[in-house]
Amino acid sequence: MPDVGEGLTEAEILKWFVQPGDTVTDGQVVCEVETAKAAVELPIPFDGVVHALLFEEGTTVDVGQVIISVQTGEAEAPAPAAAAAAPAVAAEAPAAEAEAAPEARQPVLVGYGVSTASTKRRPRKAVAGTAAQNGSAAPVAPAPAAPAAPAPLPAVPAQPSGERPLAKPPVRKLAKDLGIDLASVVPTGDGGVVTREDVHAAAAAAITPQAAAPAAAPAAAPAPVAAPVAVAAPAADASARETRIPVKGVRKVTAQAMVQSAFTAPHVTEFVTLDVTRTMKLVQELKDDPDLAGLRINPLLLIAKAVLVAIRRNPDVNASWDEAAQEIVLKHYVNLGIAAATPRGLIVPNIKDAHAKTLGELSESLSSLVATARDGKTSPADMQNGTITITNVGVFGVDTGTPILNPGESAILAVGAIKLQPWVHKGKVKPRQVTTLALSFDHRLIDGELGSRFLADIAAVLEHPRRLVTWA
């Protein structure tokens, strides 16, 4: 089981796309796993025949354990394709070991091996046990490859001597979708690793017709990722009074984060009820605007814009607490989190640099974020480094709530249902579109005055949306 690059310790195997006896090719996706943050497709980095699948679907596997055994043309016995893998693909073949020495890193499930320094990150005893069970010659010690490790690191032109490109699974998939040969990409990452930016640069330089067609490939990829999670609860007898469901994946990490947040950051929640009739009229006008044709225009878009305007007027709310350094870190950027309910549980991806986006760009980012989350394809990077979050509980018909902060963030805004209610407008009681906002904030960072002014500014913009212009 590979470390997909986010420092995770385990992952659940959601689905195998191959079976023993199947022929696999370099870059072919063999399984889908769910980490504590997202679902990730894992490609195989060499050609061969699947010898054995060592874990069933639904099994949670520690990073570093062998999960698949593949028979390659270079070995007489199946070779385990492990993420923290051994220095040699076939430990029993002396010729293969001789070739492995100058390469320093060998192909494994994530596309490249692990350097000497990387082996210190994870315990290896689980790998040894699994490898022994598989009948291989205990491919645990990376010592033979260590002396040659420095050799390929300075190499900038990727693979001049036939070495396999170094790239993480998402980057390899991106290259495959764009029709880019990783061997032709000049790496700029540490240790000669090809990054997403490198692939995009290569695609832009190529300017070939094939670059557009593979872009549709991810939509055709198998996406029944919610099914394994739903099966987590074993079928129980109809007379059973209780059912136990294992806590894992997204739900497990969400529970840990909420406990950490609730018992670390002193929460304060304030509420305001407001008339958003003018905002709802503006939403309809923007939908009819030909300049915004094709964009998803909804109340959440204008609420997000109102939050960004209020942050500009109250920049001190956009901060985090550094406990170790005993410092308040003021953020000069806004990574706006949007809480999304998915089949796996609640996740909070964020829109990077939302403060710098136009209304149209913000709409595109919101639509992409929500669609990716619902498809279960949100990447771990999309859920990191958020600053402030919006959670729209109103879609469930709820008036409001007392939301818990996303760890590391200063505030979270809950948006209630927008309902037609009697409201005093210009001295008369009239039916108006009314909603309630709830703002929870970290009282270490935001005192009552600042929190109140911030919430009042959001409400003021939504009551009179012209302030999106005058206050901007």
Side-chain angles (χ1 to χ4, degrees), residues 21-43:
D22 289 353
T23 300
V24 293
T25 57
D26 185 4
Q28 178 180 339
V29 174
V30 295
C31 70
E32 182 177 43
V33 302
E34 181 187 44
T35 69
K37 297 181 178 180
V40 179
E41 292 180 338
L42 300 182

Side-chain angles (χ1 to χ4, degrees), residues 173-271:
K173 187 175 187 303
L174 174 65
K176 182 179 179 181
D177 293 341
L178 296 180
I180 300 299
D181 182 4
L182 282 177
S184 66
V185 178
V186 178
T188 62
D190 294 340
V193 175
V194 177
T195 66
R196 295 179 66 90
E197 291 72 19
D198 298 336
V199 174
H200 283 301
I207 316 179
T208 60
Q210 294 101 331
V225 293
V229 180
V231 182
D237 185 359
S239 62
R241 293 167 60 86
E242 295 181 351
T243 299
R244 291 182 174 267
I245 302 174
V247 179
K248 54 187 177 180
V250 173
R251 188 168 299 279
K252 180 178 180 179
V253 76
T254 299
Q256 294 171 342
M258 292 299 96
V259 170
Q260 174 192 351
S261 177
F263 291 96
T264 301
H267 284 55
V268 172
T269 305
E270 294 187 342
F271 308 88

